[in-house]
Each structure stands twice: as structure tokens, then as C-alpha cells.
Amino acid sequence: MPGSVTLRSIKRFGQENNGYEPNDEGQNGEYMTMAESNDSKGAKTSSNDSKKSGEKTEQPAIRVGFFQLFRFSSCREVLMMLMGSFCAVLHGSAQPLMLLVFGMLTDTFIEYDMELQELTNPEKHCLNNTIQFRNLTDEQNEYLNMTKPCGILDIEYEMTNFAYYYVGIGVAVFILGYFQISLWVTSAARQIQIIRQMYFRKVMRMEIGWFDCNSVGELNTRMSDDINKINDAIADQVSIFIQRFTTFVCGFGMGFVKGWKLTLVIIAVSPLIGVGAALMALFVAKLTGQELQAYAKAGAVADEVLSSIRTVAAFGGERKEVERYDHNLISAQRWGIRKGLIMGFFTGYMWFIIFLCYALAFWYGSSLVVDAQEYSPGTLLQVFFGVLIAALNLGQASPCLEAFASGRGAATIIFETIDREPEIDCMSEAGYKLDKVKGDIEFHNVNFFYPSRPEVKILEQLSLQVKSGETTAFVGPSGAGKSTAVQLIQRFYDPKEGMVTLDGHDIRGLNIQWLRSLMGVVEQEPVLFATTIAENIRYGRPKVSSDDIIKAAKEANAYNFIMDLPQKFDTLVGEGGGQMSGGQKQRIAIARALVRNPRILLLDMATSALDNESEAVVQEALDKGSMGRTTISIAHRLSTIKNADVIVGFERGRAVERGRHDELLERKGVYFTLVTLQSQGDQALNEKARKMAEDKADEEAGKNSLLVRAGSYRASLRASIRQRTKSQLSSIVPESSVGIAGELGPRSQATALPDDDDEEEVVEPAPVARILKYNAPEWPYMLFGSIGAAVNGGVNPVYSLLFSQILATFTMPDPIEQRNAINGICLFFVLVGLTSFFTQMLQGYAFSKSGELLTRRLRRLGFQAMLGQEIGWFDDHRNSPGALTTRLATDASQVQGATGSQIGMIVNSLTNIGVAIIISFYFSWKLTLVILGFLPFLALSGGFQAKMLTGFAKQDKQAMENAGQISGEALNNIRTIAGLGKERSFVEAYEVQLEAPYRAALNKAKVYGACYGFAQCIVFLANSASYRFGGYLVRQEGLHFSMVFRVISAIVTSGTALGRASSYTPDYAKAKISAARFFQLLDRIPSISVYSTQGDKWSDFRGELQFEDCKFTYPTRPDIQVLNGLTVSVRPGQTLAFVGSSGCGKSTSIQLLERFYDPDHGIVLVDGHDSTKVNVAFLRSKIGIVSQEPILFDCSIAENIRYGDHNRDISMNDIIAASRKAQLHDFVMNLPEKYETNVGAQGSQLSRGQKQRIAIARAIIRDPKILLLDEATSALDTESEKTVQEALDKAREGRTCIVIAHRLSTIQNSDIIAVMSRGYVIEQGNHEQLMAKKGAYYKLVTTGAPIS
């Protein structure tokens, strides 16, 4: 490997970083070739591993030395980087070099001016190139020592020369800048491409357990953001750092060489600036910490409220919570204002010190020039500016160090992944391949837990046999380890103890790719890739012929529906198979499994996501497919397993029973309970389905039954659902196919699917006017802040005025007058510094005050708006409590950037430019016009440089889109890919896609280099033109030379300042987008509004409830029908109990009653009023609720009980009365602080029974007409259950009550018991009536089976 040699030499450099042993280096060589021989490497790394394990205890976040970032560079890149660095060093020395020219130029001007001043004396004239008195003889003149030369100095000629110097330096800078940037960026692009390839390749080789521990989202961010961070650390930033550092060294060097005295004086003062900067950083950090802490309280309130939004809504606590939140915002606001004031103070202090520095330097320097005559004026300028430029560049080099640090941090994880050896390497060639496979699978005492959850045992001593050629079915409750067993057969994981064998061989000894090629897998939610149907089937086996594909499609019962599609096998299935219905996807997946011609067929709930009609078709396909193969089928639907050869019942990670259908029914074990529960529900459903089918048969007649579409089952695929509705609704009438698992029937709602394609909402930035409207009350602060900013803007040009004035003093003939002038100017510097100090403070304070007030106002409004949304809005994953609290915290504070500080920036820049131009035009309009020609370029260059500091990551992101899609699809579906053994093809596809970003990066390098070179050289060119023209004006129009300096420095400094300001504005664009997101929230009109006063209210509220044919789907899962025609009614004062398995819609019906949601179809009547027309707050005030996991707030017990009613003041006696009813009083009186005891966050200080009783007291104090008990006792032990049950029975007296219970004992004395299954009441009546019916309820009571 030729690269390794260079690598070694570069690594020597970084050895001090981590002091790693040089023997690492061998690895890099292998890395470049991706050598698979890990043995040699294993030996080498062992010494390191021992070291690493020691480190493991407290690993630093950065474990990669700076030079290790370049471990993937080849000789060519190292050469490019060295060349780039060389150019950067030369470029860095250009500025100090320019100062040499500048000093000579100043001296020339001053000499010329002296000569002019001498000749203004009418008694003197120029003779023989010396100045002589007119009325004296030569001898007398010589005696008076009149030897001053004159007439030799041709100022225009000299200026032309200097202009050439400047142009020369400018051109050199352009070329050097171009090469320094483009070489570094190019070499980085190459290395980044290698890192991306290696990282993705390594990730695709990892075992599945590794993916369990690393979220896919995280891996995707690592592939984009983290690698971009590495890119920032090894690209242009390095060369810019080298360049700035060189300037720093050269500047100081020049200062010391040209005039060490002045340099030392200036350096002596600089600690003051350093101390100021350090203190400022310290204070700002501390205050930010305080502010965050203060906000954290408010944030905790917001988090607590948003995560228990249902409780808040049920008890109508919205307004109270907004007040509580606002109250906590005040201290955060105070700290924010303090921070602004302190920042203003320190900025002012820094400017003050800087101006004092100027005063001192010019005062001492001019005394060296005038009194001691050690320096020429040019030297004074060279020294002063040399030190100044050095200091500035040192400051500008520090952001680069930040980039290096974050790059090393990002590289830590990425390089560690690249170096990690997978435990189960799917790309390895090792392992046996058996000649002949029978297909006997056996588990021998297997113990297993998932690496991501080591504390949960999944399989315990599992032993079971699967004979070849038989169909074995695994059944059991969820979590019993059925799917896990199947994953062990595929060798996604290795058992922790015991072994899995195939034909007697431990599968760990077999070749993985070969082993997986024997198996065909059909999953519960089959993953299709975003390509054509034919390609998806071809994924099963590479290089398969079209005939085989067609054969497999026929076997899977997929051929007919594929041929009915317009493009047949070339139809695109969409992202994740989104264009296909569940049954179609499932059949394509089966074809994909069959085309492999597998020995072993694994079916993991392969039909659970289908409706009855497609299920029959798919089941038939599976039965066809499993002929003569070893088949393992996991199913929850017993109809699918009846005809299996062997049924194995799982419970808690063991195989507890095995046998045929009839044998197991007699045993009355796991299998039996599953069967009895299911057949009940199925009968009821089939009756209902039959009714519905009869109603709709006539509609259905002419319809194409091909597009039967069941819910896609995947809540996460909202997008695919949308696409599907668009593509297919045109040709569907809601059909009556019966879904399962709560996915019943008519999909009429699908048309009303909200078409909000805003996965990551794209918002238009908000107009500034509207932001300012919210900030209007603070106008006095903003006015004063603007005045301060205006004064600050004027400082820069004033500085150039004083600077040129100093140069003018050097040509004064009278020493005393000269001394006075210099002292006056230095005093003036001090005055300007003082003014600047106060105005900076004013600006800082005023704008932070207005900004913090705005932030607080926005946070309050935003929080209020959030609490006003309907509950369905909170179900959306984008509005999770975490996301919302972050939005309150960050968005609101970012909006400040668009008002206060932003206005300050604008005013500052405008006055800066304005004053500069006024000064310049006043002193010399001609020269000003020449320089103004360069102004746009100067501003551009300033802006570009500031932009460079922030980097160009955005463009890179676009280029990475396609590659990102491939990696995203691969990582999201890693199990499917591993099962099909397709890792390699994804790696190859990814590497092809990396070409584009790489090419883009190479082009960017050139453009970027050119821009940088241009930005750097424009100042030189502007100077060359203006000084040359200045020389002409001095000669031809008698302009005083100090005016030339005045005009040039005024405009050049303000021009670059303008460019910088335009980009340093604290993310103006971000502020506008944050504001827009906020306004979007404020403007959203909730479909169920809590704050509105509209809606019916009536005085004689009785509490009579009726549900009439209610149908409902949750807005976030529109494809799962939860309620399916619920009809049930309850009269005032009666108790209605809902029973049924989980997911049948019991709790949902309660939520409809509370109006957390409104039904999609049918109505809920309250006292005969349609619930959707009743005032929300009024309705909720009549309802008390006690839920399964009661949510308490982090305050005292009394406060929690008081929470029950916000409409009146509740006395302590009321609280005690309520808690007596709730059997709570005695327990509270035993606590040390009685009712003032704090319950802790979410009631964590109390036991479940105690929490439950507080929740009951809270419901009682409302004195509700309707009491809802949602499994109020399910979480309790028998002892507390009794107490709580008594409390509940008391509370029910005289109220309408709806109870949901899993324990039948708790509801036997209800007036009406409704047995629900799949969103529909299958039977209702009281306990005796239902027992007499001998239906579902009777079975539940007699077998005593738990309902869920």
C-alpha cells in the first residue's frame, strides 16, 4: 500500500495528541483496501484494546487527534494539502507586506507635503534641486544648512509605482487564495467520499443488534451532519487558519523588527482587551445559564401541562395553566435583560479600551517620531497597523479551532464505527455451506435477550423441534418470543446460551449469506423497495429470469392483479410500497420469498394486516407455497393455523405445549383461551359484515374488486396513505370488505383525509411588520436603542478622520504647535471611546429589554394557543410535548433576532456608511467617486468572508439528497435487506450516488477558491486605484495629502463593516422562520375550541347520554377504524359498564363524550343535544373523570384536589369533604404535612392507590353530573382496590356513570353492561340477562380469562 508511508509520516506529527502506539499504522493500509483479513489486525489492536477498556470508564467526547482526521488521505491528497498550506503561508504574509508598501507611501506623501510647505514661504525657492532663500548668496545658504532637496520628487510617478506594488500583491493574493482554498477543499472532498463509503459499508455489515441500539435517525444524521462536520474540519478552515496564523506571526514580527519600543507599549495594553473579552465570555455564559435555569422552571410547567394535556382539558385548567406559565417567565425575562446590559457594558468597555489604545499608541509613537526622531511617520504606521492586524487575525483564527474541535468530536463516533468489527458479519466469506439441506431446525435450551434491553429475558430455556417438510405454527400472546425465535433462525441475533441447529449443524458455523439464501421470509408488514414490481420480486434472487418471476407471481396469487395494472410488472410500488394495498404488498412479498425457491419458509403474521377477502387469497397462496418446504408460521388468527401439522404454544419465552388443533383444545391451555376469545368476536363481526354487505351489494355491483384496499396498518406511513388515497379513491366506492384488528369496513372517511403534506412544514418567513406589531408596546426602548446604535455607527468614520489628522500633524513646521495638535487629537480619541462606551451600553440594554419582553409575550401567546388546540392535534408526532416545549423555548427567543438587535444592526450600518460618505464627499468628491466604484465589491467581500466563517454546509446537503435516500431506505429496512442478503447491492448503489456530491464538491472547490481569492484581493486593488488617483489630485489640484488618507480609510473601513454586518446579523432569516412557525400556531383554528363562548348551555343538566351509530378513526391513524357503529344509551343516574378486549374502542367512546374528539359519523347526544353543538367548557365542567393512570401535578395534595374545579374558590372544608368521600382523608392526616404534602412530579411520591384516591377526590369536588371511570382500579392490589372501589361506589350515587373495567367483579352490579368487540357492541343487558344469554359475557365470566 503506497499510502501508508505518507500516512505514517503525517501521523508522527499528531503523536503527541493521544500518544497512540505507532503500531496502529499498519491498519490504515488495510483500511484503504478494505482487507477482510482481521486476524493480523486483531493481534495488533489487542494491545490497544486493553488500553481502551481502561479508558471506557470516563471516555472524553473527543477521542480523535487532529492529524488522525486525515487517516484516509493518499499521497496525492497529502501533496495537495502541503501545496495548499504553502500557498496559505504566502498569502498570510501578504498583509504585513502591504504595510511595508503603505509605510513607504506615507513617507513619500509627507516628504512631498513638507516640500510644499517650505515653498509656501515667499522668501524661499527651488534652485538646483535644493530649497534656498531667494535674497541670499549660495555661501550664505550653505552656511544656513539649506540642503533640503526639492523638485526631484515626482509624486505622480512615485504613486504609480506604489499602485503597481499594490496590484502585484493583489494579483498574487488572488492566485494564492484560489489555490489555497481549492486544493484543500478538493483533497477534503476525496477523503470525505472515502469516509462516507467506508462508514456506510461498515454500517451495512453490522449485526441487527447494533441497529437496535442505534436509532436509524441518529445514523442518518451521522451520515449527513457529522460527516459534514469532519469536512469542515479538514477543508478550507485549515488553510484559513494557517493563513491567519501566519499573518499574526508576520504582523508581530514586523512590529518588533521595525520598532520594538512602540510594539511593546501596545502589547502591554492588550491584556486589558483580553481580560475584557474573557470576562464578557464568562459573564455571558453564566447569565445564559441563569436565564436557561429560570426558563427551565417555565419549561417544566409547559412540559408537565403538555404531557398531561388530556387531564388539563378534562378539568378545564387551560387558563390557569397559562397564568402559571407566565408567572414563571418573569425571572427568565429579568436574567435576559441583565445579560443584554452586561454584554452592552463589555462591548462598550472593549471599544473604550481600543480607542485608549489608539490614543496611547499615537501619542507615544508621535513623540518617537517628532522628539526622538527614531521612527519615520511611515514606520509608526507600519508598527501600529502590524500589531493591530496581528491581533485581529489571531481573533479571527479562533472560529477555525471551533470547527476543528467539532470535527474531531464528530469523527470520534464515526471512526469508532468504522473500526468496529461486527459480531455477525453478513459480508464475510467464512463458514460452511452444506451440500444437501433437509431443513430440520432445532432449538437447544436457548436463552436470549435483546442487546438493547438486556434486563428483559425474551427466551428462557427454549427447546423445540421443527421437522423438515412440515408446517409448524407458533401461537401465544404477544411478547411470548415467537418472532424472536424466527429471528434467531435467520441468525439476526445469536442466542446468549444454547444453540440453534439446522440439520444438526450449529448455524453459527454456517456461512451467513448462504444460510439466509435458504430462507424465504414474509413479514407482518412487508417492506417493498421504491422501484417496480418486477424489481421487487427480483430482490429475492439476483439474475432471475422473467419466467421465474411470472411463475412466482402466479404461485403467490399476484399474477392476475399485476396484469390488470396499466404497466403490469413495471408498475412502481412507491415509497415503502405506498401505492399498493395491504393485500397486494403482501402477495408481492410472498412472490419475492418464493422466487428464492427456499428450503425454509418463515411466515411472521403474514396475513394479519389484511381484510377477510384478501386474507383468503393470500392464505391460499401461502398454502401453495409451503408445499414440501419446512414452514414456520406465526399467527394470531386461528383460522390460518388450524390446518398446520404441528402447533406450538408459547408463553413467556418457553414452548409450553405442542400438538394438533384438536389435541390442544382438549388441554385447555394457552391455545384454548386464544381460540375461545377469538371465535366470539369473529361471529359477531361476520353477522355485522353480512348486514353491511347486503346494504351495499347493489352499489358494489359494477365495481372492480381489484383495488380492494385495506388499511396499510402502518401509522408511520401517513404519507403513503395519502398517496394511495389520491391514486385510488377515484376508482373506489367505500367497499364493505371487513377489516380486522379494529380495521373494519367502509372507508368512506378516506376521502376526507386531511391532505396536509407538511412532513417538515415549509413555512413562508413571517413579514417583519407583523413581528414588530407584537413588539409595539416597547417602542421607547427601541427608539433609544436606535439612537445608541446610530452613534455607534458614526464611530468608525470619526476614527478615520482622527487618523488622517495625525498624519497631517507630522508636516507642521512649528514643533510646539505640532505637540499641541497631537495631544488634542489623542484626547479626542479618549472622548470618542467614552461616548462609545455609553452608547454601546444603551444599545445593549434597550434592545435586550424590548427583545425579552417580546419573547415573554410570544411564549405566553404560543402556550395559550397550544392549550387551545383540540386533542387530536397533540396526537401528531410533530406536536409531541417535547417538540412543543422546544418550540416555545427556542422559536420565541429566536424571534428577537428579527426585531431588536436586527434594527440595531441596520441603524448601525446605515449611519456608518452615511457618515463615511458625507465625510468623504465633503473633503474630496472626486476621490470619493472613484472609491465608491469599489464599494459594492468591498461589501461583497466582507459579506463573503463572514459567510465563510459559517461554512457552506447547505449546498452540500442538496447534493447528498439521492445518496441519503438510498441510505435511509437501507437503514429503515435493514431486517428485510439482511433477510434477502442484499447488503452489497445497497452499498454499491450508495457508492454510485456518492459520485454526484463528489463532483459537486470539486466544482465548488474551484468556484469557492475563486470567490475567496477575489474577496481577499479586492482591498488591494481598491487601494492601488485610489492612491494613484490621490497622487494625481495632490499634484494637479493641490489637495492636501491627509485628505487622501481620510477619504480612503473612511470608505474602505465602512465598506467592509457593511459586508460583515450584513452577515453577522443574528440569523435574521431564522428569526423570520421561527416567527412564521409561531404565527402559524397562533392562527390555527382548532376544530374543537376550548376558548370559544359559542355553543349550547342549559341549566337543568341531567346527564342522559346516547351514542348513535358512532364511527371513529384517530386522525393520526386514519386507516384503523376504532369505533364502528357504536350504539348504546344510558339514562340519568344509571351506570353503564363497557367490557371487551383492549383496542375495542372502550376508552375511545369516553374521549368522544369528553369531546377530545368528534365522531366521524353518527352523533353523541347529551340530554338530547348534539355534543358537537354544545359549548366545550360547559360540557367538560359537568364531567368528572378518573383514569387508569391518574395524572397529578407537581404541587400539594390540596392543590391537586382543587384542580377539579376552576370556576369557584374552594375552601379547605370542601377539600376535606371530598377526600372523606374518596376514603383519602385518614391517609392524608397521617402525613407530616397533611394536605400541604407535595406529591412530586406526576405524583411520584405516592403509591398508586393513593394517587387514585386523590384523582377520585378531584373528580368529586367538581360535583359532576357524569362520572367516567376508565379502569380506575386496574392498577391496584386487592387491598387498595377494595378501598378505592368503595370510594367509587360512593361517588357514583346519583350520577350518570360510565365504567370501563377489566375485572368483571367490579362491574357486576352495573345497570347496563355492554360487551364490545372491534368498535361495536356485540351484546348488552344487566349481569343476569347476559348470563342467561350464554354468549360472550357468559364465557368471560365462567372461564375467568382476563379480557385483554
Side-chain angles (χ1 to χ4, degrees), residues 1270-1331:
D1270 186 351
E1271 306 198 17
T1273 59
S1274 68
L1276 309 179
D1277 52 69
T1278 338
E1279 192 64 25
S1280 23
E1281 188 184 352
K1282 273 206 188 105
T1283 350
V1284 173
Q1285 192 57 48
E1286 274 169 40
L1288 289 175
D1289 291 340
K1290 263 200 194 151
R1292 279 174 12 193
E1293 287 159 15
R1295 298 190 168 100
T1296 310
C1297 185
I1298 296 186
V1299 188
I1300 293 179
H1302 275 178
R1303 305 223 184 130
L1304 297 179
S1305 54
T1306 55
I1307 53 165
Q1308 291 186 356
N1309 48 5
S1310 309
D1311 301 307
I1312 307 169
I1313 297 174
V1315 184
M1316 284 181 78
S1317 175
R1318 302 189 187 162
Y1320 168 64
V1321 175
I1322 45 180
E1323 49 184 36
Q1324 57 175 330
N1326 60 25
H1327 179 70
E1328 286 74 30
Q1329 292 166 339
L1330 292 180
M1331 289 304 279

Side-chain angles (χ1 to χ4, degrees), residues 290-459:
Q290 291 283 2
E291 186 185 7
L292 287 176
Q293 229 173 347
Y295 179 66
K297 275 199 199 123
V301 171
D303 199 44
E304 182 177 41
V305 172
L306 292 170
S307 37
S308 39
I309 185 71
R310 284 183 160 78
T311 310
V312 174
F315 288 104
E318 289 92 358
R319 286 198 170 79
K320 183 173 176 180
E321 295 302 350
V322 174
E323 289 310 314
R324 186 160 74 116
Y325 179 66
D326 190 43
H327 185 72
N328 278 316
L329 287 176
I330 298 173
S331 59
Q333 168 192 323
R334 277 200 209 113
W335 283 109
I337 294 171
R338 275 179 216 167
K339 181 170 104 181
L341 186 61
I342 294 242
M343 280 181 76
F345 172 83
F346 277 110
T347 324
Y349 165 81
M350 307 269 281
W351 277 107
F352 180 51
I353 296 287
I354 286 173
F355 275 107
L356 284 186
C357 239
Y358 286 159
L360 175 70
F362 282 130
W363 178 79
Y364 179 64
S366 54
S367 73
L368 287 178
V369 173
V370 179
D371 306 343
Q373 298 199 333
E374 285 184 37
Y375 296 177
S376 74
T379 318
L380 165 64
L381 292 185
Q382 283 170 355
V383 173
F384 179 67
F385 283 116
V387 175
L388 191 70
I389 282 175
L392 273 177
N393 273 283
L394 189 62
Q396 285 176 334
S398 53
C400 300
L401 293 176
E402 225 166 275
F404 298 154
S406 67
R408 284 170 54 195
T412 302
I413 297 182
I414 286 184
F415 286 0
E416 279 177 8
T417 305
I418 291 180
D419 293 341
R420 183 179 184 275
E421 278 311 306
E423 289 167 28
I424 303 175
D425 184 353
C426 60
M427 291 193 193
S428 90
E429 300 296 322
Y432 299 107
K433 304 182 180 178
L434 308 178
D435 299 334
K436 191 156 119 274
V437 178
K438 234 176 91 185
D440 285 331
I441 299 171
E442 229 181 303
F443 285 75
H444 301 268
N445 294 336
V446 171
N447 280 349
F448 179 72
F449 52 82
Y450 284 107
S452 51
R453 297 194 308 265
E455 68 286 346
V456 183
K457 264 238 167 125
I458 305 287
L459 298 181

Side-chain angles (χ1 to χ4, degrees), residues 398-561:
S398 53
C400 300
L401 293 176
E402 225 166 275
F404 298 154
S406 67
R408 284 170 54 195
T412 302
I413 297 182
I414 286 184
F415 286 0
E416 279 177 8
T417 305
I418 291 180
D419 293 341
R420 183 179 184 275
E421 278 311 306
E423 289 167 28
I424 303 175
D425 184 353
C426 60
M427 291 193 193
S428 90
E429 300 296 322
Y432 299 107
K433 304 182 180 178
L434 308 178
D435 299 334
K436 191 156 119 274
V437 178
K438 234 176 91 185
D440 285 331
I441 299 171
E442 229 181 303
F443 285 75
H444 301 268
N445 294 336
V446 171
N447 280 349
F448 179 72
F449 52 82
Y450 284 107
S452 51
R453 297 194 308 265
E455 68 286 346
V456 183
K457 264 238 167 125
I458 305 287
L459 298 181
E460 247 185 296
Q461 299 292 328
L462 171 69
S463 297
L464 88 120
Q465 248 178 331
V466 176
K467 295 208 176 69
S468 73
E470 288 191 339
T471 299
T472 307
F474 290 178
V475 295
S478 50
K482 307 183 296 294
S483 301
T484 309
V486 170
Q487 298 197 34
L488 288 180
I489 296 173
Q490 286 177 274
R491 207 173 160 215
F492 284 169
Y493 304 94
D494 283 338
K496 301 294 175 246
E497 290 170 34
M499 63 176 181
V500 181
T501 59
L502 170 66
D503 293 353
H505 298 266
D506 185 345
I507 61 171
R508 284 175 286 200
L510 304 174
N511 178 292
I512 291 200
Q513 288 285 349
W514 174 82
L515 172 72
R516 289 182 185 163
S517 71
L518 301 175
M519 303 180 183
V521 186
V522 184
E523 295 146 303
Q524 179 173 2
E525 298 165 10
V527 173
L528 299 186
F529 298 102
T531 153
T532 62
I533 293 181
E535 279 304 302
N536 264 302
I537 297 178
R538 193 168 281 128
Y539 266 119
R541 196 170 85 214
K543 307 192 191 52
V544 65
S545 68
S546 311
D547 301 344
D548 289 351
I549 289 182
I550 291 172
K551 179 166 165 272
K554 281 184 176 153
E555 281 181 18
N557 281 348
Y559 184 70
N560 297 343
F561 92 78

Side-chain angles (χ1 to χ4, degrees), residues 870-891:
E870 74 274 15
I871 302 290
W873 185 76
F874 292 94
D875 294 342
D876 185 340
H877 65 95
R878 284 194 305 262
N879 302 324
S880 63
L884 292 178
T885 35
T886 334
R887 210 185 288 181
L888 282 174
T890 53
D891 280 5

Side-chain angles (χ1 to χ4, degrees), residues 74 229 384 424 443 645 714 981 1207 1289:
S74 64
K229 279 184 196 156
F384 179 67
I424 303 175
F443 285 75
D645 301 317
R714 262 189 126 156
N1207 300 334
D1289 291 340

Side-chain angles (χ1 to χ4, degrees), residues 1242-1260:
Q1242 280 159 0
S1244 51
Q1245 305 293 319
L1246 304 175
S1247 76
R1248 275 176 146 176
Q1250 295 159 351
K1251 286 203 307 203
Q1252 203 58 287
R1253 281 177 286 171
I1254 293 178
I1256 295 172
R1258 178 171 68 185
I1260 292 175

Side-chain angles (χ1 to χ4, degrees), residues 212-282:
D212 294 344
C213 305
N214 291 287
S215 72
V216 174
E218 205 178 311
L219 293 175
N220 274 332
T221 4
R222 267 186 224 161
M223 300 199 70
S224 53
D225 300 2
D226 284 13
I227 294 189
N228 282 344
K229 279 184 196 156
I230 300 183
N231 193 4
D232 285 344
I234 65 175
D236 47 328
Q237 296 289 350
V238 185
S239 67
I240 292 171
F241 179 74
I242 294 175
Q243 171 206 329
R244 298 217 159 113
F245 195 74
T246 315
T247 308
F248 162 69
V249 173
C250 293
F252 267 123
M254 198 172 76
F256 278 115
V257 170
K258 287 279 183 184
W260 57 270
K261 286 187 184 171
L262 183 57
T263 309
L264 284 177
V265 167
I266 298 175
I267 287 183
V269 190
S270 53
L272 283 176
I273 297 187
V275 167
L279 276 177
M280 172 164 160
L282 191 78

